[in-house]
């Protein structure tokens, strides 16, 4: 295994453990929404997409996340609004990630969607 691959594996293992031990509150089911977001800041090469995808799955959200060429990360989340708010609060609390700007816009629901993907 190359040293860079070993570093990525260590980071990914850390991210997986962090998401697994995150304490989720008891959520009240509220409005079911879809949000389109673009995160700017230190959001690439820090496990951001993996962490979002794992946490989104734990929160029973669907959607997708992907890196953009300009260094931003784009995502769509679909599910109960309180769970999406929790995900955003959790991501902002991480020290290795720095979200400087967040575009957050409503989007139309995708009824056929069943999973959360890393693109």
């Amino acid at each position: 295994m190359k040293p860079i691959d070993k570093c990525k594996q260590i980071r990914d293992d850390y991210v997986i453990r962090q998401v697994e031990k995150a304490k989720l509150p008891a959520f009240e089911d509220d409005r079911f929404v879809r949000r389109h977001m673009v995160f700017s800041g230190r959001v690439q090469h820090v496990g951001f997409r993996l962490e979002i995808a794992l946490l989104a799955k734990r929160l029973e959200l669907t959607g997708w996340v992907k890196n953009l060429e300009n260094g931003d990360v784009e995502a769509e989340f679909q599910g109960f609004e309180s769970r999406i708010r929790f995900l955003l609060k959790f991501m902002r609390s991480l020290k290795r990630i720095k979200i400087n700007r967040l575009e957050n816009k409503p989007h139309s629901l995708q009824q056929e969607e069943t999973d959360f993907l890393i693109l």
Side-chain angles (χ1 to χ4, degrees):
M1 184 180 282
K2 295 180 193 175
I4 191 85
D5 293 336
K6 183 72 171 162
C7 289
K8 285 181 181 180
Q9 185 61 51
I10 291 169
R11 181 200 63 211
D12 290 354
D13 290 345
Y14 172 79
V15 166
I16 291 165
R17 284 191 310 276
Q18 290 299 105
V19 172
E20 286 174 349
K21 72 179 186 179
K23 294 191 187 313
L24 303 183
F27 292 101
E28 296 281 331
D29 290 347
D30 52 3
R31 268 184 349 132
F32 199 82
V33 299
R34 186 175 188 91
R35 306 294 298 177
H36 178 264
M37 300 184 194
V38 177
F39 300 86
S40 300
R42 189 175 61 238
V43 293
Q44 287 194 16
H45 310 293
V46 291
F48 189 82
R49 290 178 305 144
L50 177 61
E51 193 133 14
I52 277 186
L54 293 171
L55 186 55
K57 288 178 182 191
R58 275 197 69 198
L59 293 167
E60 300 175 344
L61 301 174
T62 62
W64 51 266
V65 62
K66 70 178 181 178
N67 282 341
L68 298 178
E69 288 184 19
N70 67 357
D72 292 348
V73 172
E74 181 180 26
E76 286 191 8
F77 303 96
Q78 182 167 286
F80 291 110
E81 197 167 34
S82 58
R83 293 169 186 250
I84 294 171
R85 279 195 309 269
F86 177 85
L87 182 139
L88 293 175
K89 183 178 176 184
F90 182 88
M91 296 306 291
R92 287 184 181 277
S93 75
L94 300 172
K95 292 183 181 5
R96 66 183 155 45
I97 291 167
K98 176 73 170 145
I99 300 170
N100 294 330
R101 188 172 49 86
L102 171 63
E103 292 177 27
N104 184 346
K105 298 177 182 174
H107 203 278
S108 55
L109 294 175
Q110 304 290 321
Q111 300 297 336
E112 70 283 352
E113 193 171 68
T114 60
D115 202 1
F116 195 92
L117 305 173
I118 298 175
L119 304 179

